[in-house]
Amino acid sequence: LWSLGKRTIGSGVAVTMPLSSDEYKAAFHYTLQPSVSPLGFLTAELSQDKAFELPLGTARFFVDDALVGVQPLSVNGNKATLFFGSDPLVSATMTDRKRSSGETGFINKEQSVLWDWEITVRNGRSRPVAAIVQDPFPDPRNDAVKITAESKPIPEQTTSSAQLGGVKVYSWKLTLNPGESQTILHKVQVLAPADKRLGPGRM
């Protein structure tokens, strides 16, 4: 039960009245998945000493006093990941350096597929930003299929947040100065017996 005291509300005007306020510790970075979209999403990783609960409701997200999105929000625990919308000034573009496929061998034929990508991460903001670039981890789904990956710089193998599918991904953590661009070279090769059907993968 909340007692708001006396308030003056003009005729025909919708008014939002604050009931309570809290501050939560959070580390901010940009999450980028260039195989899906070039845009970076401002991300807050909440981490509290004690668990807390925010029941499911509609939340409005503001950055520098500007509304950037409205979405459902609920928190139950001492950690949470919040997304504050996309930012066109922080981006990552993925281009093919080389792509090939074919078969080798005369008796025990083997098929191979190679993807060789260049990921360019750009910071168009006037301040340094932290960025986490993610790319899906290849899933062979069969012991006969062999996958090798080579990247520069070397990524971590992590799991994306539930909001982004909760799948295993390669993750590169970068810090970019104002106006800076950095490049990631990422190569994936798939080898399989010729009689195994390979999914088409990303185009």
Side-chain angles (χ1 to χ4, degrees):
L1 179 64
W2 297 87
S3 175
L4 300 178
K6 292 183 178 180
R7 296 290 188 273
T8 300
I9 302 175
S11 175
V13 178
V15 177
T16 299
M17 296 186 178
L19 298 178
S20 67
S21 64
D22 286 298
E23 292 186 1
Y24 303 104
K25 296 183 295 183
F28 283 85
H29 67 268
Y30 284 88
T31 300
L32 301 109
Q33 294 187 328
S35 63
V36 179
S37 168
L39 297 179
F41 285 80
L42 183 60
T43 308
E45 297 286 352
L46 271 66
S47 179
Q48 301 297 111
D49 296 332
K50 296 182 179 180
F52 65 101
E53 181 177 4
L54 296 177
L56 179 63
T58 300
R60 292 183 294 169
F61 290 80
F62 293 84
V63 176
D64 296 330
D65 295 326
L67 180 66
V68 296
V70 177
Q71 58 182 290
L73 172 67
S74 66
V75 177
N76 188 357
N78 66 334
K79 295 182 183 294
T81 301
L82 305 179
F83 293 95
F84 284 76
S86 61
D87 185 344
L89 295 179
V90 180
S91 64
T93 55
M94 194 173 199
T95 56
D96 283 326
R97 300 175 70 222
K98 181 180 180 182
R99 181 183 303 185
S100 64
S101 62
E103 292 186 355
T104 59
F106 292 99
I107 299 176
N108 296 321
K109 285 190 174 182
E110 187 176 55
Q111 58 182 319
S112 65
V113 180
L114 171 69
W115 293 278
D116 191 350
W117 293 292
E118 180 177 279
I119 304 171
T120 303
V121 189
R122 298 181 176 87
N123 175 21
R125 289 205 158 271
S126 59
R127 56 175 173 78
V129 300
I132 297 179
V133 182
Q134 297 179 337
D135 192 64
F137 192 86
D139 183 7
R141 299 187 181 184
N142 191 299
D143 292 339
V145 178
K146 305 301 180 184
I147 297 177
T148 58
E150 181 182 344
S151 303
K152 186 178 179 180
I154 299 173
E156 298 179 20
Q157 296 179 18
T158 63
T159 301
S160 65
S161 66
Q163 295 97 317
L164 295 176
V167 297
K168 194 173 182 180
V169 294
Y170 292 112
S171 292
W172 293 268
K173 294 182 179 181
L174 308 174
T175 299
L176 294 94
N177 292 319
E180 183 184 9
S181 296
Q182 293 188 28
T183 299
I184 298 169
L185 301 180
H186 183 43
K187 184 186 298 184
V188 176
Q189 185 173 34
V190 180
L191 299 175
D195 60 350
K196 292 293 182 183
R197 182 179 179 276
L198 294 177
R202 78 185 68 168
M203 300 302 292

